[in-house]
Amino acid sequence: MKAILSSLVQPAFIAVIIAFWWLAPPAWVNNPNAILFAVIATTALIQALEWVKERHIGWRMTRQEFFTDVFYVVLGFTAIDFLTSHLAEDPLKAFKVALGLGTPWIAHLPFVAQVALVIFLVEFGQYWMHRGMHNFTPLWLVHAPHHHITQLNTMKGAVGNPIELFLISLSVIALLDVPLTAVLCAANIGVAVSSFAHANVRLDPPRWYAFVFTTIRHHSLHHSVPYEDTRCNYANSLIVIDRMFGTFRNGEAEVVGQDERKRLSIREQWLFPAMPVIAMVKARRVQPAAGSV
Ligand SMILES: [Zn+2]
Ligand SMILES: [Zn+2]
């Protein structure tokens, strides 16, 4: 009975989020702080579950990990959000107006279908971006800092090089006429699913949930130490997309990280894509000195 109840926690989160946005008065939906509060509450609840149902003792939250994670969550809500709005969404909206693109039929779909459509389109784009990051060296260099994390926790999905965080935030939703409530609800569900997929929480959901949505089991496998073992389970929230494109792999990992499993500082995470160039410059400086001895 207890196992059944705990397996229903993740589906219950999604049901509550859908009900919340479906029933939210327009004044709440149009308040720009509403999504912020909803996402903070969702994240805080999942983070609290790490103390109640811990998955691995080695992933236990430390002060250093907590403040790093919070730094990246704040970065996501401020600088990354600003860049996405100004460099991607605004130009896409202008492009939509210039071409006279209209999709008014979306507003006539049932609310849950609108939300599902947004989640699928966002996830479809993220899947290919993420898969590209694991198959194209320049993109891997910006994504690798996310794989250098040595433990998984609720907010770890927000941790990475800022270029990666910008690239992974891109989507085509601004081209469509999706009602704001559905967009916010989809964003809230995306945060809940991907937070659970990184959380140090042992609440294994039912099989149907794990067939459709990404779970910590499958995402921890994506964080395996050998690089080749990371090339599976790319979907941030909808693991069913990996099943569709043949990149799904079953299993789970407890030991996570990359190479020697060295934890990167925030500075190292930001400088990581430039490391080959920095190493080259350093090697050139050393060479003449060695020759002169
Ligand atoms: Zn990855
Ligand atoms: Zn991850």
Side-chain angles (χ1 to χ4, degrees):
M1 187 64 188
K2 213 175 161 189
I4 294 173
L5 279 179
S6 62
S7 77
L8 292 176
V9 170
Q10 286 165 73
F13 259 72
I14 293 185
V16 169
I17 291 169
I18 290 174
F20 172 79
W21 288 104
W22 196 17
L23 301 172
W28 288 16
V29 175
N30 294 316
N31 183 336
N33 291 324
I35 183 67
L36 190 65
F37 286 123
V39 165
I40 290 172
T42 307
T43 309
L45 277 171
I46 301 171
Q47 183 65 67
L49 285 172
E50 290 199 12
W51 278 278
V52 184
K53 294 284 274 180
E54 185 174 67
R55 191 170 193 90
H56 299 300
I57 205 168
W59 296 359
R60 191 171 287 177
M61 184 60 93
T62 63
R63 184 189 287 251
Q64 185 187 38
E65 292 291 336
F66 181 76
F67 284 111
T68 304
D69 294 358
V70 170
F71 167 80
Y72 277 104
V73 169
V74 173
L75 184 79
F77 271 119
T78 53
I80 303 294
D81 194 46
F82 178 86
L83 289 175
T84 309
S85 299
H86 287 79
L87 299 180
E89 287 172 6
D90 289 349
L92 278 180
K93 281 177 193 164
F95 181 71
K96 172 179 179 288
V97 171
L99 289 188
L101 298 174
T103 48
W105 54 270
I106 295 175
H108 299 291
L109 294 173
F111 180 68
V112 174
Q114 293 173 17
V115 173
L117 178 70
V118 174
I119 293 176
F120 182 79
L121 290 176
V122 169
E123 281 293 310
F124 190 79
Q126 285 194 352
Y127 169 85
W128 286 105
M129 178 64 81
H130 189 187
R131 192 167 164 177
M133 286 173 170
H134 281 260
N135 287 279
F136 180 51
T137 305
L139 285 178
W140 168 249
L141 287 175
V142 298
H143 180 50
H146 179 65
H147 281 270
H148 275 270
I149 54 178
T150 51
Q151 63 182 78
L152 295 177
N153 300 101
T154 302
M155 293 179 277
K156 286 288 190 291
V159 177
N161 180 274
I163 301 169
E164 183 225 356
L165 301 177
F166 170 73
L167 291 174
I168 215 82
S169 74
L170 301 176
S171 85
V172 296
I173 298 304
L175 287 173
L176 306 173
D177 298 310
V178 187
L180 179 63
T181 320
V183 176
L184 299 179
C185 182
N188 200 166
I189 290 175
V191 166
V193 176
S194 66
S195 296
F196 269 118
H198 283 93
N200 183 19
V201 173
R202 189 171 292 283
L203 285 173
D204 293 321
R207 262 200 233 166
W208 65 265
Y209 179 99
F211 185 83
V212 178
F213 297 105
T214 306
T215 62
I216 183 68
R217 254 176 69 73
H218 301 139
H219 194 67
S220 63
L221 196 63
H222 180 74
H223 277 272
S224 297
V225 180
Y227 168 70
E228 283 304 319
D229 288 353
T230 67
R231 298 173 81 178
C232 64
N233 302 353
Y234 296 116
N236 194 34
S237 300
L238 287 185
I239 198 81
V240 74
I241 298 181
D242 279 285
R243 296 181 194 275
M244 283 163 61
F245 292 104
T247 48
F248 172 75
R249 206 186 300 164
N250 202 3
E252 145 163 46
E254 181 178 347
V255 179
V256 297
Q258 277 295 288
D259 304 331
E260 308 300 315
R261 294 193 69 237
K262 179 186 177 292
R263 182 190 187 277
L264 301 183
S265 65
I266 292 174
R267 186 173 178 275
E268 288 168 328
Q269 288 167 337
W270 287 47
L271 285 177
F272 196 89
M275 288 316 272
V277 178
I278 294 171
M280 227 164 66
V281 171
K282 274 187 183 166
R284 277 197 188 159
R285 274 193 200 150
V286 169
Q287 262 174 0
S292 64
V293 172

mmCIF file of all heavy atoms in Angstrom, residues 146 149 152 156-157 198 219 222-223, ligand 2:
data_model
loop_
_atom_site.group_PDB
_atom_site.id
_atom_site.type_symbol
_atom_site.label_atom_id
_atom_site.label_comp_id
_atom_site.label_asym_id
_atom_site.label_seq_id
_atom_site.Cartn_x
_atom_site.Cartn_y
_atom_site.Cartn_z
ATOM 1 N N HIS A 146 27.585 20.019 -17.655
ATOM 2 C CA HIS A 146 26.419 19.402 -17.008
ATOM 3 C C HIS A 146 26.720 17.951 -16.634
ATOM 4 O O HIS A 146 26.201 17.442 -15.634
ATOM 5 C CB HIS A 146 25.192 19.479 -17.925
ATOM 6 C CG HIS A 146 23.957 18.852 -17.330
ATOM 7 N ND1 HIS A 146 23.337 19.350 -16.207
ATOM 8 C CD2 HIS A 146 23.245 17.744 -17.684
ATOM 9 C CE1 HIS A 146 22.301 18.584 -15.894
ATOM 10 N NE2 HIS A 146 22.220 17.600 -16.772
ATOM 11 N N ILE A 149 28.910 17.082 -13.250
ATOM 12 C CA ILE A 149 28.354 17.063 -11.897
ATOM 13 C C ILE A 149 28.511 15.639 -11.344
ATOM 14 O O ILE A 149 28.374 14.660 -12.081
ATOM 15 C CB ILE A 149 26.879 17.531 -11.842
ATOM 16 C CG1 ILE A 149 25.995 16.751 -12.809
ATOM 17 C CG2 ILE A 149 26.769 19.013 -12.121
ATOM 18 C CD1 ILE A 149 24.526 17.151 -12.756
ATOM 19 N N LEU A 152 23.465 13.779 -8.253
ATOM 20 C CA LEU A 152 22.224 14.291 -8.827
ATOM 21 C C LEU A 152 21.310 14.802 -7.710
ATOM 22 O O LEU A 152 21.158 14.154 -6.676
ATOM 23 C CB LEU A 152 21.536 13.206 -9.655
ATOM 24 C CG LEU A 152 22.331 12.763 -10.897
ATOM 25 C CD1 LEU A 152 21.607 11.638 -11.630
ATOM 26 C CD2 LEU A 152 22.572 13.922 -11.858
ATOM 27 N N LYS A 156 19.706 20.160 -10.229
ATOM 28 C CA LYS A 156 20.884 19.934 -11.074
ATOM 29 C C LYS A 156 20.582 20.083 -12.571
ATOM 30 O O LYS A 156 21.496 20.307 -13.364
ATOM 31 C CB LYS A 156 21.471 18.539 -10.823
ATOM 32 C CG LYS A 156 22.221 18.412 -9.511
ATOM 33 C CD LYS A 156 23.550 19.147 -9.534
ATOM 34 C CE LYS A 156 24.427 18.829 -8.337
ATOM 35 N NZ LYS A 156 23.947 19.336 -7.071
ATOM 36 N N GLY A 157 19.321 19.992 -12.961
ATOM 37 C CA GLY A 157 18.968 20.191 -14.371
ATOM 38 C C GLY A 157 19.299 21.606 -14.824
ATOM 39 O O GLY A 157 19.466 21.861 -16.014
ATOM 40 N N HIS A 198 16.229 14.514 -11.950
ATOM 41 C CA HIS A 198 17.561 14.785 -11.413
ATOM 42 C C HIS A 198 17.586 14.630 -9.889
ATOM 43 O O HIS A 198 18.639 14.822 -9.276
ATOM 44 C CB HIS A 198 18.000 16.216 -11.747
ATOM 45 C CG HIS A 198 18.457 16.402 -13.164
ATOM 46 N ND1 HIS A 198 17.629 16.814 -14.156
ATOM 47 C CD2 HIS A 198 19.673 16.206 -13.744
ATOM 48 C CE1 HIS A 198 18.313 16.874 -15.302
ATOM 49 N NE2 HIS A 198 19.541 16.515 -15.088
ATOM 50 N N HIS A 219 17.476 8.832 -16.455
ATOM 51 C CA HIS A 219 18.351 9.995 -16.623
ATOM 52 C C HIS A 219 19.683 9.796 -15.901
ATOM 53 O O HIS A 219 20.722 10.302 -16.353
ATOM 54 C CB HIS A 219 17.671 11.296 -16.165
ATOM 55 C CG HIS A 219 18.421 12.507 -16.644
ATOM 56 N ND1 HIS A 219 18.514 12.861 -17.973
ATOM 57 C CD2 HIS A 219 19.184 13.424 -15.976
ATOM 58 C CE1 HIS A 219 19.282 13.929 -18.106
ATOM 59 N NE2 HIS A 219 19.693 14.300 -16.910
ATOM 60 N N HIS A 222 22.016 8.300 -18.190
ATOM 61 C CA HIS A 222 22.559 9.303 -19.115
ATOM 62 C C HIS A 222 23.748 10.041 -18.477
ATOM 63 O O HIS A 222 24.585 10.590 -19.184
ATOM 64 C CB HIS A 222 21.460 10.298 -19.508
ATOM 65 C CG HIS A 222 21.932 11.363 -20.447
ATOM 66 N ND1 HIS A 222 22.176 11.120 -21.773
ATOM 67 C CD2 HIS A 222 22.253 12.669 -20.233
ATOM 68 C CE1 HIS A 222 22.620 12.237 -22.348
ATOM 69 N NE2 HIS A 222 22.674 13.194 -21.433
ATOM 70 N N HIS A 223 23.815 10.050 -17.138
ATOM 71 C CA HIS A 223 24.917 10.726 -16.435
ATOM 72 C C HIS A 223 26.044 9.754 -16.079
ATOM 73 O O HIS A 223 26.907 10.094 -15.253
ATOM 74 C CB HIS A 223 24.393 11.413 -15.170
ATOM 75 C CG HIS A 223 23.802 12.771 -15.427
ATOM 76 N ND1 HIS A 223 24.547 13.928 -15.425
ATOM 77 C CD2 HIS A 223 22.535 13.151 -15.728
ATOM 78 C CE1 HIS A 223 23.761 14.967 -15.692
ATOM 79 N NE2 HIS A 223 22.536 14.522 -15.885
HETATM 80 ZN ZN ZN B 2 20.990 15.916 -16.497
#
